[in-house]
Amino acid sequence: MRITLLQTDITWASPHLNIGQAEEMIGAAPPSDLYVLPEMWSTGFATSPEGIAETDGLSLKWMKTTAQRCHAAISGSIATALPHHGGYSYLNRHYFVRPDGSHEQYDKRHLFSYGGEHLCYTRGENRCVATYGGWRWLLLVCYDLRFPVWSRYRGDYDGIIIVANWPETRQAVWDTLLKARAIENQCYVVAVNRTGSDSHNIYAGGSRVIDAKGKVVAECALHEACTATADIDIGDLLRFREKFRVLDDRDTFDIPQ
C-alpha cells in the first residue's frame, strides 16, 4: 500500500481554503492508495465550535468526491456539528472514506480537557477499525495517543492512523509516543500533524510513517506544509509478527465505558 501524508498549514475556520490546499497537495504527490490529513483539517482545532464546526458536511463531501476521483482512501478528522434538541452537539470525528463512497467514523474518546475540548464536544465510546486494501486500520485522534490501553492491539488491526493538532512545545512527547505505540502493538503507525500556528499554539508537524520495529520509513519536514509518501507491505508485517510473537504474551483486560 502506498500512503501519502498531507501535513497542512491550516487556515483558521476556512474550509474552502483548506480544501483547496489539500487538493493542491494531493495533485502534486505521487498517486497513492491512502491520503491522510490532520485533525480538524478543514477548520483548525476549535475548542469553541459554535459557528466553526461544519453543519453542511462540506468537507466530508469533498473527501468522498476526491476519494472516488483518485481511486484512493482519505482519512482525517472534522469538527462536526449535528442537530440536537433545537441546537447542535459537537464531535471531533475522524472519517476514513473509501473510493466507493463508503466510510467509517470514529469520535475522539479522549477529549483534551487541558484545552477545554471536553466542555463542548461529546466523547466517543467505541473503537473503530477501518478495512481497506487488505489492511485493518485503527483510527485515533491526537490526545488518544497518550492512552495506550485504548489503542492496545486486540488481534483486530495492522496499523494505527492518528491525526493531530499537536503543539511544538510537546513535540518530543509526540515523537516518543508514536514509536511506543508502533513497537508495543507490532504495527505500523501513520501519524499526521499540522504545521503553522493558531491563536493558541505553534505546530511543527513531525508527520511520519513508523514500522512495527519503531523505524521511521517516511516523514515530513518540520515547520513546512508538505507531503511524504511511503510504500508498506502487509506481508512484511505479518511475517514479523509470526517470527517474533510478543503479542502472544500481551495482557488481557476490559475497558469500562
Side-chain angles (χ1 to χ4, degrees), residues 218-248:
E219 61 185 330
C220 293
L222 294 176
H223 294 289
E224 292 183 19
C226 58
T227 66
T229 299
D231 291 298
I232 61 175
D233 189 322
I234 189 68
D236 290 344
L237 174 64
L238 296 179
R239 284 187 290 273
F240 176 55
R241 283 179 168 178
E242 179 63 27
K243 179 181 179 180
F244 190 48
R245 300 182 64 87
V246 297
L247 294 173
D248 291 348

PDB file of all heavy atoms in Angstrom, residues 218-248:
ATOM      1  N   ALA A 218       9.081   7.078   6.534  1.00  0.00           N
ATOM      2  CA  ALA A 218       8.817   8.310   5.771  1.00  0.00           C
ATOM      3  C   ALA A 218       8.437   9.395   6.765  1.00  0.00           C
ATOM      4  O   ALA A 218       7.790   9.109   7.777  1.00  0.00           O
ATOM      5  CB  ALA A 218       7.702   8.107   4.749  1.00  0.00           C
ATOM      6  N   GLU A 219       8.829  10.631   6.487  1.00  0.00           N
ATOM      7  CA  GLU A 219       8.458  11.722   7.386  1.00  0.00           C
ATOM      8  C   GLU A 219       8.462  13.054   6.642  1.00  0.00           C
ATOM      9  O   GLU A 219       9.163  13.231   5.646  1.00  0.00           O
ATOM     10  CB  GLU A 219       9.387  11.786   8.591  1.00  0.00           C
ATOM     11  CG  GLU A 219      10.834  12.032   8.285  1.00  0.00           C
ATOM     12  CD  GLU A 219      11.702  11.969   9.538  1.00  0.00           C
ATOM     13  OE1 GLU A 219      11.197  12.288  10.625  1.00  0.00           O
ATOM     14  OE2 GLU A 219      12.886  11.597   9.418  1.00  0.00           O
ATOM     15  N   CYS A 220       7.659  13.968   7.165  1.00  0.00           N
ATOM     16  CA  CYS A 220       7.590  15.322   6.617  1.00  0.00           C
ATOM     17  C   CYS A 220       8.599  16.222   7.326  1.00  0.00           C
ATOM     18  O   CYS A 220       8.911  16.023   8.504  1.00  0.00           O
ATOM     19  CB  CYS A 220       6.186  15.898   6.802  1.00  0.00           C
ATOM     20  SG  CYS A 220       4.893  15.087   5.852  1.00  0.00           S
ATOM     21  N   ALA A 221       9.068  17.232   6.622  1.00  0.00           N
ATOM     22  CA  ALA A 221       9.964  18.210   7.227  1.00  0.00           C
ATOM     23  C   ALA A 221       9.225  19.006   8.296  1.00  0.00           C
ATOM     24  O   ALA A 221       8.009  19.231   8.207  1.00  0.00           O
ATOM     25  CB  ALA A 221      10.504  19.147   6.151  1.00  0.00           C
ATOM     26  N   LEU A 222       9.946  19.427   9.322  1.00  0.00           N
ATOM     27  CA  LEU A 222       9.352  20.241  10.374  1.00  0.00           C
ATOM     28  C   LEU A 222       9.066  21.654   9.865  1.00  0.00           C
ATOM     29  O   LEU A 222       9.798  22.196   9.047  1.00  0.00           O
ATOM     30  CB  LEU A 222      10.287  20.312  11.583  1.00  0.00           C
ATOM     31  CG  LEU A 222      10.517  18.997  12.339  1.00  0.00           C
ATOM     32  CD1 LEU A 222      11.548  19.210  13.447  1.00  0.00           C
ATOM     33  CD2 LEU A 222       9.220  18.453  12.918  1.00  0.00           C
ATOM     34  N   HIS A 223       7.970  22.218  10.350  1.00  0.00           N
ATOM     35  CA  HIS A 223       7.582  23.605  10.080  1.00  0.00           C
ATOM     36  C   HIS A 223       7.363  23.884   8.595  1.00  0.00           C
ATOM     37  O   HIS A 223       7.562  25.010   8.137  1.00  0.00           O
ATOM     38  CB  HIS A 223       8.628  24.579  10.643  1.00  0.00           C
ATOM     39  CG  HIS A 223       8.721  24.555  12.138  1.00  0.00           C
ATOM     40  ND1 HIS A 223       7.741  25.052  12.951  1.00  0.00           N
ATOM     41  CD2 HIS A 223       9.688  24.067  12.959  1.00  0.00           C
ATOM     42  CE1 HIS A 223       8.086  24.898  14.217  1.00  0.00           C
ATOM     43  NE2 HIS A 223       9.266  24.291  14.246  1.00  0.00           N
ATOM     44  N   GLU A 224       6.953  22.877   7.851  1.00  0.00           N
ATOM     45  CA  GLU A 224       6.634  23.070   6.443  1.00  0.00           C
ATOM     46  C   GLU A 224       5.322  22.377   6.105  1.00  0.00           C
ATOM     47  O   GLU A 224       5.064  21.263   6.572  1.00  0.00           O
ATOM     48  CB  GLU A 224       7.729  22.488   5.537  1.00  0.00           C
ATOM     49  CG  GLU A 224       9.046  23.202   5.582  1.00  0.00           C
ATOM     50  CD  GLU A 224      10.050  22.619   4.602  1.00  0.00           C
ATOM     51  OE1 GLU A 224       9.614  21.908   3.659  1.00  0.00           O
ATOM     52  OE2 GLU A 224      11.255  22.845   4.791  1.00  0.00           O
ATOM     53  N   ALA A 225       4.501  23.035   5.298  1.00  0.00           N
ATOM     54  CA  ALA A 225       3.355  22.355   4.700  1.00  0.00           C
ATOM     55  C   ALA A 225       3.897  21.506   3.561  1.00  0.00           C
ATOM     56  O   ALA A 225       4.432  22.044   2.581  1.00  0.00           O
ATOM     57  CB  ALA A 225       2.338  23.362   4.191  1.00  0.00           C
ATOM     58  N   CYS A 226       3.826  20.190   3.704  1.00  0.00           N
ATOM     59  CA  CYS A 226       4.456  19.320   2.720  1.00  0.00           C
ATOM     60  C   CYS A 226       3.861  17.919   2.793  1.00  0.00           C
ATOM     61  O   CYS A 226       3.003  17.638   3.635  1.00  0.00           O
ATOM     62  CB  CYS A 226       5.968  19.259   2.936  1.00  0.00           C
ATOM     63  SG  CYS A 226       6.460  18.673   4.571  1.00  0.00           S
ATOM     64  N   THR A 227       4.316  17.063   1.908  1.00  0.00           N
ATOM     65  CA  THR A 227       3.844  15.689   1.881  1.00  0.00           C
ATOM     66  C   THR A 227       5.023  14.744   2.060  1.00  0.00           C
ATOM     67  O   THR A 227       6.183  15.110   1.866  1.00  0.00           O
ATOM     68  CB  THR A 227       3.134  15.358   0.556  1.00  0.00           C
ATOM     69  OG1 THR A 227       4.083  15.405  -0.517  1.00  0.00           O
ATOM     70  CG2 THR A 227       2.001  16.338   0.284  1.00  0.00           C
ATOM     71  N   ALA A 228       4.697  13.508   2.432  1.00  0.00           N
ATOM     72  CA  ALA A 228       5.677  12.422   2.445  1.00  0.00           C
ATOM     73  C   ALA A 228       4.931  11.151   2.071  1.00  0.00           C
ATOM     74  O   ALA A 228       3.757  10.979   2.432  1.00  0.00           O
ATOM     75  CB  ALA A 228       6.326  12.274   3.817  1.00  0.00           C
ATOM     76  N   THR A 229       5.603  10.282   1.332  1.00  0.00           N
ATOM     77  CA  THR A 229       4.961   9.073   0.814  1.00  0.00           C
ATOM     78  C   THR A 229       5.773   7.840   1.208  1.00  0.00           C
ATOM     79  O   THR A 229       7.007   7.859   1.160  1.00  0.00           O
ATOM     80  CB  THR A 229       4.824   9.154  -0.719  1.00  0.00           C
ATOM     81  OG1 THR A 229       3.994  10.284  -1.045  1.00  0.00           O
ATOM     82  CG2 THR A 229       4.187   7.888  -1.280  1.00  0.00           C
ATOM     83  N   ALA A 230       5.060   6.783   1.602  1.00  0.00           N
ATOM     84  CA  ALA A 230       5.700   5.522   1.982  1.00  0.00           C
ATOM     85  C   ALA A 230       4.979   4.368   1.319  1.00  0.00           C
ATOM     86  O   ALA A 230       3.750   4.377   1.175  1.00  0.00           O
ATOM     87  CB  ALA A 230       5.678   5.352   3.493  1.00  0.00           C
ATOM     88  N   ASP A 231       5.730   3.360   0.927  1.00  0.00           N
ATOM     89  CA  ASP A 231       5.180   2.091   0.453  1.00  0.00           C
ATOM     90  C   ASP A 231       5.366   1.054   1.549  1.00  0.00           C
ATOM     91  O   ASP A 231       6.497   0.825   2.009  1.00  0.00           O
ATOM     92  CB  ASP A 231       5.891   1.639  -0.825  1.00  0.00           C
ATOM     93  CG  ASP A 231       5.569   2.531  -2.007  1.00  0.00           C
ATOM     94  OD1 ASP A 231       4.382   2.606  -2.383  1.00  0.00           O
ATOM     95  OD2 ASP A 231       6.500   3.165  -2.546  1.00  0.00           O
ATOM     96  N   ILE A 232       4.270   0.454   1.990  1.00  0.00           N
ATOM     97  CA  ILE A 232       4.333  -0.536   3.061  1.00  0.00           C
ATOM     98  C   ILE A 232       3.736  -1.849   2.580  1.00  0.00           C
ATOM     99  O   ILE A 232       2.898  -1.876   1.670  1.00  0.00           O
ATOM    100  CB  ILE A 232       3.627  -0.041   4.338  1.00  0.00           C
ATOM    101  CG1 ILE A 232       2.142   0.221   4.078  1.00  0.00           C
ATOM    102  CG2 ILE A 232       4.298   1.226   4.853  1.00  0.00           C
ATOM    103  CD1 ILE A 232       1.363   0.591   5.337  1.00  0.00           C
ATOM    104  N   ASP A 233       4.170  -2.953   3.187  1.00  0.00           N
ATOM    105  CA  ASP A 233       3.837  -4.298   2.724  1.00  0.00           C
ATOM    106  C   ASP A 233       3.228  -5.091   3.873  1.00  0.00           C
ATOM    107  O   ASP A 233       3.883  -5.300   4.902  1.00  0.00           O
ATOM    108  CB  ASP A 233       5.108  -4.977   2.207  1.00  0.00           C
ATOM    109  CG  ASP A 233       4.837  -6.300   1.509  1.00  0.00           C
ATOM    110  OD1 ASP A 233       3.955  -7.047   1.963  1.00  0.00           O
ATOM    111  OD2 ASP A 233       5.520  -6.589   0.518  1.00  0.00           O
ATOM    112  N   ILE A 234       1.985  -5.529   3.717  1.00  0.00           N
ATOM    113  CA  ILE A 234       1.322  -6.301   4.759  1.00  0.00           C
ATOM    114  C   ILE A 234       2.045  -7.618   5.000  1.00  0.00           C
ATOM    115  O   ILE A 234       2.107  -8.118   6.129  1.00  0.00           O
ATOM    116  CB  ILE A 234      -0.168  -6.535   4.406  1.00  0.00           C
ATOM    117  CG1 ILE A 234      -0.930  -7.154   5.574  1.00  0.00           C
ATOM    118  CG2 ILE A 234      -0.308  -7.392   3.165  1.00  0.00           C
ATOM    119  CD1 ILE A 234      -1.103  -6.253   6.751  1.00  0.00           C
ATOM    120  N   GLY A 235       2.641  -8.190   3.954  1.00  0.00           N
ATOM    121  CA  GLY A 235       3.366  -9.440   4.103  1.00  0.00           C
ATOM    122  C   GLY A 235       4.545  -9.305   5.049  1.00  0.00           C
ATOM    123  O   GLY A 235       4.796 -10.193   5.883  1.00  0.00           O
ATOM    124  N   ASP A 236       5.286  -8.202   4.934  1.00  0.00           N
ATOM    125  CA  ASP A 236       6.421  -7.967   5.822  1.00  0.00           C
ATOM    126  C   ASP A 236       5.953  -7.898   7.284  1.00  0.00           C
ATOM    127  O   ASP A 236       6.601  -8.450   8.184  1.00  0.00           O
ATOM    128  CB  ASP A 236       7.119  -6.657   5.458  1.00  0.00           C
ATOM    129  CG  ASP A 236       7.867  -6.738   4.137  1.00  0.00           C
ATOM    130  OD1 ASP A 236       8.110  -7.868   3.658  1.00  0.00           O
ATOM    131  OD2 ASP A 236       8.187  -5.673   3.584  1.00  0.00           O
ATOM    132  N   LEU A 237       4.846  -7.196   7.510  1.00  0.00           N
ATOM    133  CA  LEU A 237       4.323  -7.063   8.872  1.00  0.00           C
ATOM    134  C   LEU A 237       3.905  -8.418   9.427  1.00  0.00           C
ATOM    135  O   LEU A 237       4.252  -8.778  10.569  1.00  0.00           O
ATOM    136  CB  LEU A 237       3.133  -6.104   8.882  1.00  0.00           C
ATOM    137  CG  LEU A 237       2.401  -5.981  10.223  1.00  0.00           C
ATOM    138  CD1 LEU A 237       3.315  -5.389  11.288  1.00  0.00           C
ATOM    139  CD2 LEU A 237       1.122  -5.164  10.071  1.00  0.00           C
ATOM    140  N   LEU A 238       3.172  -9.205   8.664  1.00  0.00           N
ATOM    141  CA  LEU A 238       2.675 -10.489   9.152  1.00  0.00           C
ATOM    142  C   LEU A 238       3.820 -11.461   9.411  1.00  0.00           C
ATOM    143  O   LEU A 238       3.784 -12.239  10.377  1.00  0.00           O
ATOM    144  CB  LEU A 238       1.680 -11.075   8.150  1.00  0.00           C
ATOM    145  CG  LEU A 238       0.392 -10.257   7.946  1.00  0.00           C
ATOM    146  CD1 LEU A 238      -0.495 -10.928   6.909  1.00  0.00           C
ATOM    147  CD2 LEU A 238      -0.350 -10.043   9.257  1.00  0.00           C
ATOM    148  N   ARG A 239       4.851 -11.420   8.584  1.00  0.00           N
ATOM    149  CA  ARG A 239       5.998 -12.296   8.817  1.00  0.00           C
ATOM    150  C   ARG A 239       6.728 -11.918  10.102  1.00  0.00           C
ATOM    151  O   ARG A 239       7.185 -12.789  10.861  1.00  0.00           O
ATOM    152  CB  ARG A 239       6.949 -12.241   7.611  1.00  0.00           C
ATOM    153  CG  ARG A 239       6.439 -13.048   6.409  1.00  0.00           C
ATOM    154  CD  ARG A 239       7.484 -13.117   5.310  1.00  0.00           C
ATOM    155  NE  ARG A 239       7.684 -11.830   4.650  1.00  0.00           N
ATOM    156  CZ  ARG A 239       6.958 -11.413   3.607  1.00  0.00           C
ATOM    157  NH1 ARG A 239       5.991 -12.183   3.117  1.00  0.00           N
ATOM    158  NH2 ARG A 239       7.208 -10.244   3.052  1.00  0.00           N
ATOM    159  N   PHE A 240       6.845 -10.616  10.366  1.00  0.00           N
ATOM    160  CA  PHE A 240       7.494 -10.172  11.598  1.00  0.00           C
ATOM    161  C   PHE A 240       6.678 -10.592  12.817  1.00  0.00           C
ATOM    162  O   PHE A 240       7.234 -11.092  13.809  1.00  0.00           O
ATOM    163  CB  PHE A 240       7.682  -8.659  11.572  1.00  0.00           C
ATOM    164  CG  PHE A 240       8.256  -8.091  12.837  1.00  0.00           C
ATOM    165  CD1 PHE A 240       9.457  -8.572  13.345  1.00  0.00           C
ATOM    166  CD2 PHE A 240       7.605  -7.073  13.513  1.00  0.00           C
ATOM    167  CE1 PHE A 240       9.996  -8.045  14.527  1.00  0.00           C
ATOM    168  CE2 PHE A 240       8.140  -6.545  14.681  1.00  0.00           C
ATOM    169  CZ  PHE A 240       9.331  -7.034  15.189  1.00  0.00           C
ATOM    170  N   ARG A 241       5.376 -10.418  12.755  1.00  0.00           N
ATOM    171  CA  ARG A 241       4.526 -10.831  13.869  1.00  0.00           C
ATOM    172  C   ARG A 241       4.595 -12.342  14.104  1.00  0.00           C
ATOM    173  O   ARG A 241       4.561 -12.797  15.248  1.00  0.00           O
ATOM    174  CB  ARG A 241       3.068 -10.425  13.592  1.00  0.00           C
ATOM    175  CG  ARG A 241       2.765  -8.951  13.816  1.00  0.00           C
ATOM    176  CD  ARG A 241       1.324  -8.639  13.507  1.00  0.00           C
ATOM    177  NE  ARG A 241       0.932  -7.303  13.976  1.00  0.00           N
ATOM    178  CZ  ARG A 241      -0.274  -6.779  13.790  1.00  0.00           C
ATOM    179  NH1 ARG A 241      -1.206  -7.462  13.124  1.00  0.00           N
ATOM    180  NH2 ARG A 241      -0.555  -5.582  14.260  1.00  0.00           N
ATOM    181  N   GLU A 242       4.689 -13.095  13.043  1.00  0.00           N
ATOM    182  CA  GLU A 242       4.757 -14.552  13.161  1.00  0.00           C
ATOM    183  C   GLU A 242       6.110 -14.989  13.727  1.00  0.00           C
ATOM    184  O   GLU A 242       6.178 -15.926  14.541  1.00  0.00           O
ATOM    185  CB  GLU A 242       4.534 -15.193  11.785  1.00  0.00           C
ATOM    186  CG  GLU A 242       4.598 -16.710  11.769  1.00  0.00           C
ATOM    187  CD  GLU A 242       3.514 -17.366  12.607  1.00  0.00           C
ATOM    188  OE1 GLU A 242       2.433 -16.753  12.780  1.00  0.00           O
ATOM    189  OE2 GLU A 242       3.748 -18.491  13.099  1.00  0.00           O
ATOM    190  N   LYS A 243       7.179 -14.334  13.326  1.00  0.00           N
ATOM    191  CA  LYS A 243       8.518 -14.716  13.773  1.00  0.00           C
ATOM    192  C   LYS A 243       8.780 -14.301  15.223  1.00  0.00           C
ATOM    193  O   LYS A 243       9.326 -15.081  16.017  1.00  0.00           O
ATOM    194  CB  LYS A 243       9.560 -14.076  12.854  1.00  0.00           C
ATOM    195  CG  LYS A 243      10.995 -14.391  13.240  1.00  0.00           C
ATOM    196  CD  LYS A 243      11.977 -13.701  12.295  1.00  0.00           C
ATOM    197  CE  LYS A 243      13.420 -13.997  12.713  1.00  0.00           C
ATOM    198  NZ  LYS A 243      14.390 -13.325  11.809  1.00  0.00           N
ATOM    199  N   PHE A 244       8.401 -13.082  15.573  1.00  0.00           N
ATOM    200  CA  PHE A 244       8.687 -12.521  16.896  1.00  0.00           C
ATOM    201  C   PHE A 244       7.364 -12.306  17.615  1.00  0.00           C
ATOM    202  O   PHE A 244       6.775 -11.238  17.571  1.00  0.00           O
ATOM    203  CB  PHE A 244       9.464 -11.217  16.737  1.00  0.00           C
ATOM    204  CG  PHE A 244      10.020 -10.666  18.014  1.00  0.00           C
ATOM    205  CD1 PHE A 244      10.710 -11.468  18.902  1.00  0.00           C
ATOM    206  CD2 PHE A 244       9.864  -9.319  18.324  1.00  0.00           C
ATOM    207  CE1 PHE A 244      11.229 -10.948  20.083  1.00  0.00           C
ATOM    208  CE2 PHE A 244      10.381  -8.788  19.501  1.00  0.00           C
ATOM    209  CZ  PHE A 244      11.068  -9.611  20.379  1.00  0.00           C
ATOM    210  N   ARG A 245       6.879 -13.342  18.296  1.00  0.00           N
ATOM    211  CA  ARG A 245       5.484 -13.423  18.717  1.00  0.00           C
ATOM    212  C   ARG A 245       5.245 -12.796  20.106  1.00  0.00           C
ATOM    213  O   ARG A 245       4.661 -13.422  20.996  1.00  0.00           O
ATOM    214  CB  ARG A 245       5.034 -14.878  18.695  1.00  0.00           C
ATOM    215  CG  ARG A 245       5.152 -15.521  17.301  1.00  0.00           C
ATOM    216  CD  ARG A 245       4.641 -16.957  17.321  1.00  0.00           C
ATOM    217  NE  ARG A 245       3.215 -17.016  17.638  1.00  0.00           N
ATOM    218  CZ  ARG A 245       2.243 -16.913  16.735  1.00  0.00           C
ATOM    219  NH1 ARG A 245       2.532 -16.729  15.443  1.00  0.00           N
ATOM    220  NH2 ARG A 245       0.980 -16.986  17.097  1.00  0.00           N
ATOM    221  N   VAL A 246       5.673 -11.575  20.285  1.00  0.00           N
ATOM    222  CA  VAL A 246       5.472 -10.928  21.578  1.00  0.00           C
ATOM    223  C   VAL A 246       3.999 -10.663  21.870  1.00  0.00           C
ATOM    224  O   VAL A 246       3.592 -10.594  23.039  1.00  0.00           O
ATOM    225  CB  VAL A 246       6.274  -9.612  21.667  1.00  0.00           C
ATOM    226  CG1 VAL A 246       7.757  -9.879  21.573  1.00  0.00           C
ATOM    227  CG2 VAL A 246       5.843  -8.620  20.606  1.00  0.00           C
ATOM    228  N   LEU A 247       3.200 -10.531  20.844  1.00  0.00           N
ATOM    229  CA  LEU A 247       1.782 -10.245  21.069  1.00  0.00           C
ATOM    230  C   LEU A 247       1.054 -11.417  21.720  1.00  0.00           C
ATOM    231  O   LEU A 247       0.002 -11.232  22.349  1.00  0.00           O
ATOM    232  CB  LEU A 247       1.103  -9.871  19.746  1.00  0.00           C
ATOM    233  CG  LEU A 247       1.588  -8.558  19.118  1.00  0.00           C
ATOM    234  CD1 LEU A 247       0.968  -8.375  17.736  1.00  0.00           C
ATOM    235  CD2 LEU A 247       1.270  -7.363  20.009  1.00  0.00           C
ATOM    236  N   ASP A 248       1.611 -12.622  21.598  1.00  0.00           N
ATOM    237  CA  ASP A 248       1.001 -13.774  22.262  1.00  0.00           C
ATOM    238  C   ASP A 248       1.037 -13.624  23.778  1.00  0.00           C
ATOM    239  O   ASP A 248       0.234 -14.247  24.493  1.00  0.00           O
ATOM    240  CB  ASP A 248       1.742 -15.063  21.890  1.00  0.00           C
ATOM    241  CG  ASP A 248       1.547 -15.459  20.433  1.00  0.00           C
ATOM    242  OD1 ASP A 248       0.667 -14.864  19.780  1.00  0.00           O
ATOM    243  OD2 ASP A 248       2.268 -16.354  19.961  1.00  0.00           O
TER     244      ASP A 248
END
